[in-house]
Amino acid sequence: MSLNHMPKHVAIIMDGNGRWAKKRLFPRTSGHRAGIKSVRQAIEYAVEHKIERLTLFAFGRENWQRPQEEVDTLMRLFSEVLVKELPMLKENNVCLNVVGDRSRLCAEVLDNMKITESQTLSNTGLQLNIAIDYSGQWEIVEAAKSIVKAVQDGSLGINDISEEIFSRHLQTNITQPVDLFIRTSGEQRISNFMNWQLSYAEFYFCSKMWPDFRKKDFQAAIDSFLKRKRRFGKTDEQL
Ligand code: IPE
Ligand code: IPE
Ligand code: MG
């Protein structure tokens, strides 16, 4: 029995690429490469099931601290995938939006990002957000700065600041709350991802490493979600 509707917004922390590779005695970077197939599967699942929004965490602000070689490989991979997957995104009517701090990304990644974004801009199907150099705390601080500016220039009154107004100042423009949050690899933390948007999300932890994540694993997360009662503070009787 379903207690819920399909989630409108699903966010995924794609974790476990390094451990997947280590178990096979491969370099960590081969795990990142193997994870691309899972990205495709997640996108296809979302398209097939008419999920409105899918936000994927590809690279966090804290990930700059990894060995330079791994960071370089990841950046190269982003650049490559953004070009290679453009026909797939077009075919599936997916609109891509890369979210995060763009100031530290190299020209190649930025250029390919902009090309894929502009070529999928008018697509009306799945809204796909890929978070690169993203941090939930950074997003909130940037929103606070933008609100202070609006107050200073007189376009916003202090008493008009509400959750709704605040979310409109989010730099990533992701104002829709996350309904279902999925993290692979067995880790149970949010690692600075979508702090604002996760306020009332349902959490689902999958023990598989990201390169092993397939549509049936996405389906298992959805099945779990559909069985949950989301009360949003109310009592059972009020629902
Ligand atoms: C997630 O996999 C990918 C990125 C963070 C870019 P990891 O690289 O974190 O894999 P583990 O957690 O070390 O296994
Ligand atoms: C979070 O994963 C970032 C991405 C999956 C892109 P990490 O593997 O970097 O997170 P921690 O360090 O385990 O919290
Ligand atoms: Mg990890």
Side-chain angles (χ1 to χ4, degrees):
M1 194 186 71
S2 290
L3 293 169
N4 250 323
H5 299 296
M6 279 296 276
K8 288 191 171 138
H9 186 184
V10 178
I12 307 181
I13 298 190
M14 312 182 285
D15 197 17
N17 296 351
R19 276 164 285 168
W20 181 93
K22 194 174 175 187
K23 198 176 150 202
R24 289 161 178 78
L25 307 176
F26 296 158
R28 289 180 58 82
T29 48
S30 77
H32 299 315
R33 196 164 273 286
I36 298 169
K37 182 168 178 183
S38 308
V39 174
R40 257 187 244 121
Q41 290 259 313
I43 295 172
E44 281 171 19
Y45 179 91
V47 169
E48 286 159 14
H49 293 82
K50 299 195 168 44
I51 290 168
E52 286 175 22
R53 269 158 233 287
L54 178 65
T55 302
L56 302 177
F57 201 8
F59 190 90
R61 170 168 275 221
E62 286 76 21
N63 292 137
W64 289 112
Q65 301 170 79
R66 292 192 177 191
Q68 192 57 44
E69 194 199 321
E70 181 170 345
V71 171
D72 290 345
T73 305
L74 279 164
M75 291 300 149
R76 238 179 291 125
L77 216 53
F78 295 147
S79 198
E80 188 186 308
V81 168
L82 284 163
V83 176
K84 250 199 191 151
E85 300 299 331
L86 179 57
M88 183 275 277
L89 297 176
K90 281 182 165 173
E91 236 165 72
N92 284 296
N93 196 23
V94 176
C95 172
L96 174 85
N97 184 23
V98 179
V99 297
D101 183 354
R102 299 192 173 202
S103 66
R104 286 179 289 200
L105 298 176
C106 69
E108 202 189 335
V109 175
L110 280 173
D111 288 347
N112 291 347
M113 225 156 89
K114 285 179 198 152
I115 291 169
T116 306
E117 280 179 335
S118 66
Q119 297 217 16
T120 60
L121 187 66
S122 55
N123 288 350
T124 54
L126 175 71
Q127 173 70 50
L128 173 66
N129 303 311
I130 308 252
I132 299 179
D133 196 5
Y134 174 84
S135 140
Q137 289 184 336
W138 160 82
E139 182 180 28
I140 292 168
V141 169
E142 290 304 306
K145 286 190 211 161
S146 152
I147 284 174
V148 169
K149 263 192 207 141
V151 170
Q152 277 176 342
D153 72 21
S155 59
L156 181 69
I158 286 189
N159 294 324
D160 296 327
I161 303 170
S162 59
E163 282 94 339
E164 149 109 51
I165 296 287
F166 194 95
S167 75
R168 277 197 233 148
H169 284 262
L170 291 172
Q171 204 264 2
T172 58
N173 246 333
I174 305 181
T175 53
Q176 305 76 13
V178 171
D179 299 302
L180 172 62
F181 163 87
I182 301 172
R183 182 172 188 148
T184 57
S185 88
E187 303 300 349
Q188 303 192 354
R189 53 177 170 267
I190 65 171
S191 301
N192 210 354
F193 182 51
M194 305 261 103
N195 304 21
W196 176 270
Q197 297 88 342
L198 287 177
S199 303
Y200 250 111
E202 295 295 328
F203 282 54
Y204 181 85
F205 299 102
C206 169
S207 58
K208 280 196 182 173
M209 300 299 144
W210 179 250
D212 291 327
F213 189 83
R214 293 291 172 268
K215 284 182 194 175
K216 67 173 169 32
D217 302 303
F218 204 146
Q219 185 61 54
I222 296 288
D223 289 343
S224 165
F225 176 85
L226 293 176
K227 284 192 209 117
R228 299 185 192 183
K229 244 185 207 169
R230 301 184 82 193
R231 281 185 285 268
F232 296 100
K234 295 182 181 170
T235 66
D236 261 354
E237 291 70 28
Q238 289 174 296
L239 296 178

